[in-house]
Amino acid sequence: MPRKLSDEQIETLLDERPGWAILTTIDGDGFPHTVPLGYFRSGRNIVMGVRDGTHKVANVESNSKASVMVEAGSTMADIRGVMVQGHARIVREPSETLQLAREGARSRGVAESEWPTEPRPGVVYICVAPVRTRSWDYSD
């Protein structure tokens, strides 16, 4: 039986694994739509930059329920992960998209002198605000 991660361990895992997360949204027909996306944390929210007009954006606009999963490890002896279930929103407002682009660059270790100075055309952000978080840790 896996152990649960503490709140601190969850934050550490999410922050040390900036890169890929698995986003699941709900299609109009009720089926899950699952895709890998780059992510970072902004406060408690999970943030993912995407192209506007994509299937996942349409899904969030019609149903805000979403989940984000991040997992680390390669064998049952060291797998640990976090699933955040929450409400997603699409961010399109230029000043907010620029702020998120700069936060994303900072989280990836990009030098401040190279941070974006204007929003990228056609890019929006999906922000998932946690409602509940589940975690697992199979390591010994």
Side-chain angles (χ1 to χ4, degrees), residues 19-140:
W20 298 105
I22 306 300
L23 171 70
T24 300
T25 57
I26 307 299
D27 276 339
D29 60 5
F31 281 96
H33 177 79
T34 302
V35 293
L37 291 170
Y39 81 96
F40 63 94
R41 268 189 341 123
S42 178
R44 295 190 64 237
N45 293 340
I46 306 294
V47 180
M48 295 151 282
V50 300
R51 278 200 278 236
D52 203 359
T54 59
H55 200 83
K56 57 198 149 290
V57 170
N59 288 348
V60 168
E61 289 177 321
S62 65
N63 183 341
S64 72
K65 290 182 179 175
S67 68
V68 178
M69 197 262 313
V70 173
E71 194 167 57
S74 58
T75 68
M76 279 306 281
D78 66 354
I79 289 178
R80 58 199 170 101
V82 175
M83 178 179 62
V84 173
Q85 295 173 311
H87 296 285
R89 71 181 179 97
I90 303 300
V91 176
R92 284 191 177 91
E93 198 281 315
S95 67
E96 194 174 358
T97 61
L98 177 58
Q99 176 189 345
L100 290 172
R102 292 171 66 85
E103 282 186 55
R106 181 184 44 77
S107 74
R108 290 187 309 278
V110 173
E112 188 171 351
S113 62
E114 296 177 32
W115 290 0
T117 57
E118 55 187 54
R120 285 182 34 207
V123 173
V124 298
Y125 288 85
I126 298 174
C127 295
V128 178
V131 171
R132 79 178 149 222
T133 302
R134 303 186 189 256
S135 67
W136 52 95
D137 183 352
Y138 284 91
S139 66
D140 295 332

